[in-house]
Amino acid sequence: MPNSLDQVIRPEILDLLPYHVPSSFGMVKLDAMENPYSLPKTLRDEIAQLAATISLNRYPDTNADLLKSSLRGAMEIPAGMDIMLGNGSDEIIQIVALALARPGAVLMSVEPAFAMFRMIATFTKMEYIGIPLKANFSIDLDAMLTAIDKYQPAVIFIAYPNNPTGNLFDAEAISRIIESAPGVVVVDEAYHAFADTSFMSRLTQHPNLLLMRTLSKLGLAGLRLGLLVGRPEWLTQLEKLRLPYNVGVMTQVVVRKVLQHSDILRQQTDAIKAERVVMSECLEALDGVEVFPTAANFILLRVNEANQVFLELKKRNILIKNLDGSHPLLRNCLRVTVGTPDENKQFLWALQALITKLTN
Ligand SMILES: *Cc1c(COP(=O)(O)O)cnc(C)c1O
């Protein structure tokens, strides 16, 4: 007779809650940091023609050399650095963790941070340590340096800008962390397109720095492409864990085509950055709303009754992210992605009406 599931499946997997993606059908979708704009018709037609020529019966190029050289051109990757591609950057986080998961090895990050850091530590049997940010969401450098000394983390993940808070940590503090770390530090620049700064040029200064980017927040979330940039000695080892055909042929071809039109993506991100300013100002003008500074394509805010506001917005078909309860520093916090001007107006009007109703 076979054993019951809980005698076979690892206990820490039995304890996990499934990653919850709420249904968004027919809603104003401002919960997942997607670019709200589609590509222009002419480019979509070009992609359709290109797709018709692809040999779907063949495996993709495992090295994706053509795609990597397009990315090199588009992202100012320093000479001498290698690129590893992932099925989204989530997969890259997992590859890094798998490679470093010696018994007892620690994966460290700040809190609150991207939820996948902790989840993937669990998947890979790493020990997770999260160091709380300060109340204004800046990095607590003293606490980080003490924790690095104590736990000797194999890897530290730092999102720059951070999700879900949206701010950029002090670059010199991150450099100190990299210099003090006994293992590798991954700077996750998922929101790079919306921030005017990067650690890319610092790769040459720090032998233990790896830099991660994704095309998801830039407008290609559906294609699933992330990349890790770093020294060949690191990436040669990590490549051994990458499944050979993790980046499909459609993704390789379509991303190359879109990168030939990077002006379009830039126009879209510029529009999002301009709307971010408009939206922040409108939110700041509302009584009872605290707005936190952002360098990403979303805004973190604090209201009086976050759960109620979230549910009432949902009833009005507006989906944002409720962060209340996810971390003590995020009490009554909501996260809203910057959408199109029209979507943002719908959100702002609904929020204003609700806040007026709730305070009277
Ligand atoms: C969204 C996000 C990612 C994951 O993006 P992929 O779609 O898997 O490429 C990684 N890091 C942070 C901080 C994110 O917010």
Side-chain angles (χ1 to χ4, degrees):
M1 200 176 73
N3 287 329
S4 66
L5 274 187
D6 54 6
Q7 289 174 293
V8 187
I9 294 182
R10 289 160 45 197
E12 61 275 26
I13 305 302
L14 291 169
D15 287 346
L16 278 178
L17 294 174
Y19 189 79
H20 175 64
V21 179
S23 159
S24 59
F25 184 75
M27 298 188 86
V28 175
K29 191 172 185 311
L30 301 175
D31 65 326
M33 284 78 92
E34 291 145 319
N35 175 339
Y37 302 105
S38 52
L39 296 170
K41 172 90 170 63
T42 47
L43 182 51
R44 280 186 283 140
D45 286 344
E46 274 187 67
I47 290 170
Q49 279 172 19
L50 202 56
T53 68
I54 291 173
S55 303
L56 295 177
N57 53 320
R58 302 293 176 196
Y59 281 107
D61 174 7
T62 176
N63 296 320
D65 289 323
L66 292 171
L67 174 55
K68 283 186 193 166
S69 80
S70 305
L71 291 165
R72 230 173 239 291
M75 295 195 177
E76 297 179 351
I77 293 172
M81 296 296 158
D82 275 0
I83 302 174
M84 182 179 75
L85 301 181
N87 193 285
S89 43
D90 287 348
E91 190 191 35
I92 293 175
I93 301 168
Q94 183 161 285
I95 290 173
V96 171
L98 275 173
L100 300 171
R102 293 161 157 239
V106 167
L107 183 157
M108 186 177 283
S109 191
V110 297
E111 291 264 304
F114 185 44
M116 291 310 288
F117 299 151
R118 177 197 283 270
M119 285 185 67
I120 287 173
T122 306
F123 299 170
T124 58
K125 287 183 162 265
M126 292 190 85
E127 192 189 333
Y128 176 81
I129 303 283
I131 304 302
L133 297 172
K134 296 185 176 169
N136 66 358
F137 303 125
S138 65
I139 212 158
D140 188 339
L141 183 60
D142 289 339
M144 280 301 280
L145 295 178
T146 305
I148 289 169
D149 197 43
K150 177 169 174 198
Y151 295 104
Q152 298 287 307
V155 57
I156 303 172
F157 282 93
I158 295 177
Y160 183 77
N162 190 41
N163 172 16
T165 57
N167 57 316
L168 283 164
F169 298 131
D170 178 60
E172 293 324 306
I174 297 176
S175 278
R176 287 279 306 281
I177 288 166
I178 298 169
E179 281 157 12
S180 312
V184 69
V185 177
V186 179
V187 173
D188 176 356
E189 295 191 342
Y191 300 96
H192 168 256
F194 311 97
D196 300 314
T197 176
S198 170
F199 268 68
M200 189 67 91
S201 66
R202 298 189 192 226
L203 277 170
T204 47
Q205 296 163 28
H206 300 292
N208 59 335
L209 170 63
L210 298 173
L211 189 135
M212 193 164 68
R213 295 259 179 101
T214 174
L215 298 201
S216 296
K217 314 293 153 71
L218 197 54
L220 300 174
L223 283 176
R224 310 300 301 133
L225 186 73
L227 57 149
L228 187 72
V229 184
R231 292 175 192 244
E233 51 269 36
W234 282 108
L235 269 59
T236 309
Q237 299 305 324
L238 297 175
E239 275 285 348
K240 297 176 185 173
L241 284 158
R242 186 180 63 82
L243 298 175
Y245 305 116
N246 64 330
V247 179
V249 64
M250 270 309 171
T251 299
Q252 295 194 25
V253 166
V254 176
V255 170
R256 278 171 57 211
K257 171 56 74 186
V258 175
L259 289 178
Q260 286 167 11
H261 299 271
S262 50
D263 53 313
I264 293 170
L265 294 179
R266 196 162 323 113
Q267 280 163 22
Q268 295 183 344
T269 49
D270 283 350
I272 293 166
K273 285 161 81 178
E275 265 300 298
R276 174 176 76 188
V277 176
V278 175
M279 227 171 146
S280 298
E281 285 171 1
C282 292
L283 286 165
E284 269 159 20
L286 295 178
D287 269 343
V289 178
E290 186 181 0
V291 185
F292 295 95
T294 174
N297 63 341
F298 60 86
I299 300 171
L300 183 76
L301 44 139
R302 179 173 280 131
V303 296
N304 290 322
E305 298 283 349
N307 288 313
Q308 212 173 336
V309 170
F310 171 76
L311 289 172
E312 290 291 326
L313 286 170
K314 205 164 149 188
K315 275 193 207 157
R316 290 160 178 75
N317 274 335
I318 297 168
L319 186 62
I320 63 170
K321 177 86 176 173
N322 183 10
L323 295 164
D324 186 78
S326 66
H327 190 276
L329 289 174
L330 294 174
R331 202 172 41 80
N332 272 328
C333 283
L334 301 167
R335 186 190 69 195
V336 59
T337 305
V338 179
T340 64
D342 181 56
E343 291 171 327
N344 302 337
K345 266 185 215 127
Q346 291 188 53
F347 161 73
L348 287 163
W349 284 337
L351 180 69
Q352 182 169 26
L354 274 173
I355 284 177
T356 312
K357 199 175 101 184
L358 289 173
T359 48
N360 290 325

